[in-house]
Amino acid sequence: MVQCLLDFLNASPVGFLAVKNIANELEKNGYRRLEPTKPLGKIKAGDKLFVTKNDSSIYAFNIGSKPMADSGFKMICAHCDSPTFRIKPNAEMLCEGGIVKLNTEVYGGPIMSTWFDRPLTIAGRVIVRGDDVFHPQTLLLHFKRPLLQISNLAIHFNRQVNDGVQLSRQKDMLPILGIINNHLEMGEMLMNLILEEANLQMPVKKEDILDFDLYLADATPACTFGAHNEFISSGRLDDLSMCFAGLQALLASKKDDTTKVLAIFDNEETGSLTKQGAGSPFLANMLRRLAVAQGGTEEAFSQAVERAFMVSADNAHAWHPNYPERYDPTNHPQLGGGPVIKLNAAQKYATDAMSAAIFAEICRKADVPCQRFVNHSDVAGGSTLGNILASSIPIRGVDMGNAILAMHSCRETGSTDDHVYCVKAFMQFFEE
């Protein structure tokens, strides 16, 4: 089970590829892709369906034997984006000695220092001219070799580096791509790489490449470590580990009265307010269409929402042995201690006492330990997609996740046991 997670992480350096990989697994297991521009037709019990938005969010539906109006739906939601660096247009910057660096901008809130001196690669999508102006072709790219590095300044030129350094996003975080070999490469090094990779999939001319969404990613594979291989080290554990746990639980679930939903959103790290984010009405619209297609009315969707329950799955902060003072004195989750219920008095999480009790009982029935996280009262915490989604679908729900260290680092640390626990809890949730 853990090796499957590592394989998924390695194959999913960006959200576009995570969504493609999830879609492939769904199709292998009998799920049918919906085209949202077309009528859904009649929806019947046992139907397995999915739909994507913008190539970067995906929503799967396992239709129950009872109408959603009568039994509601059970939903696990997570997000597939992670903090990184996006390559800007006109990115190449030629420096002395023929060195080419790339102009980038920060996506989300990474711990920038953790990106230094690592082999990095590039992944994302390229937009290619097609017959229809409004529907160009999309190619997903993943350079499966180290291509770049963001190099530190030597300590000899910065004696205060270990005392803390203010990093400039525009100056310090630009990766080196290569050295010009001949004048034909000038201004074309990145494009030549894109063309080489794109032509492995289909014939593409330079003039047909219209634009791209390309990002940096750690090129070092995910792995386990520790005296007993009890830890996971990887980029993007937040939140691909929750996406994959939800997928594993959905694929393992049996036919049931209640419709099961897996919703994987994009852009949580930048606020979720996009057409493919949790702030979009897209999922609410799809659920409404499904409820109506089952033979119901607009009233059916409202009834379904009132009977539904959401698990908003986003990783939590594990207790760090070097910084105990940063944590709440009585609510600090441990690595390997099981899924974490997240609570916040300022309502940054969807959890309340009722939904916390429900999820804790699900964990008990799954024979899985359960923990709680509350921020130290002097330390401001983050938020997640649960409440944002609830603004368009007023649904009961709990915010939870597995505990990890170094959240938003280039590489984060989780627990192998926690992944197994989480899948078991999610399976129990779908079977209740």
Side-chain angles (χ1 to χ4, degrees), residues 85-206:
F85 298 83
R86 184 181 189 274
I87 298 175
K88 291 182 179 179
N90 306 310
E92 292 188 34
M93 304 171 74
L94 182 60
C95 307
E96 187 173 339
I99 290 178
V100 174
K101 63 182 181 181
L102 294 184
N103 193 10
T104 63
E105 59 181 327
V106 172
Y107 177 86
I111 304 175
M112 295 194 297
S113 62
T114 64
W115 286 76
F116 282 114
D117 305 317
R118 293 180 181 273
L120 304 174
T121 190
I122 295 172
R125 69 176 177 179
V126 172
I127 309 303
V128 180
R129 180 177 286 112
D131 296 331
D132 185 339
V133 170
F134 287 100
H135 297 92
Q137 299 179 75
T138 298
L139 290 179
L140 301 186
L141 301 188
H142 178 194
F143 294 86
K144 295 181 180 179
R145 65 180 178 94
L147 278 178
L148 319 103
Q149 183 165 290
I150 304 171
S151 291
N152 254 306
L153 182 65
I155 194 171
H156 309 81
F157 301 118
N158 186 4
R159 296 289 183 180
Q160 289 74 46
V161 65
N162 291 323
D163 299 326
V165 174
Q166 183 72 37
L167 296 174
S168 164
R169 297 182 174 206
Q170 185 61 69
K171 176 180 173 60
D172 298 311
M173 305 310 300
L174 304 186
I176 296 170
L177 178 62
I179 297 177
I180 294 290
N181 281 333
N182 61 68
H183 72 279
L184 294 177
E185 284 189 309
M186 293 184 64
E188 299 292 337
M189 186 176 284
L190 177 62
M191 182 56 69
N192 289 343
L193 289 167
I194 291 172
L195 282 170
E196 180 183 336
E197 190 72 17
N199 274 281
L200 295 176
Q201 301 181 46
M202 59 177 280
V204 178
K205 298 178 181 178
K206 175 188 171 183

Side-chain angles (χ1 to χ4, degrees), residues 314-318 333 340-342 373 400-405 407:
D314 198 355
N315 288 116
H317 297 293
V340 179
I341 297 171
K342 301 172 1 181
F373 171 81
M400 56 72 61
N402 278 345
I404 63 171
L405 291 172
M407 188 179 289

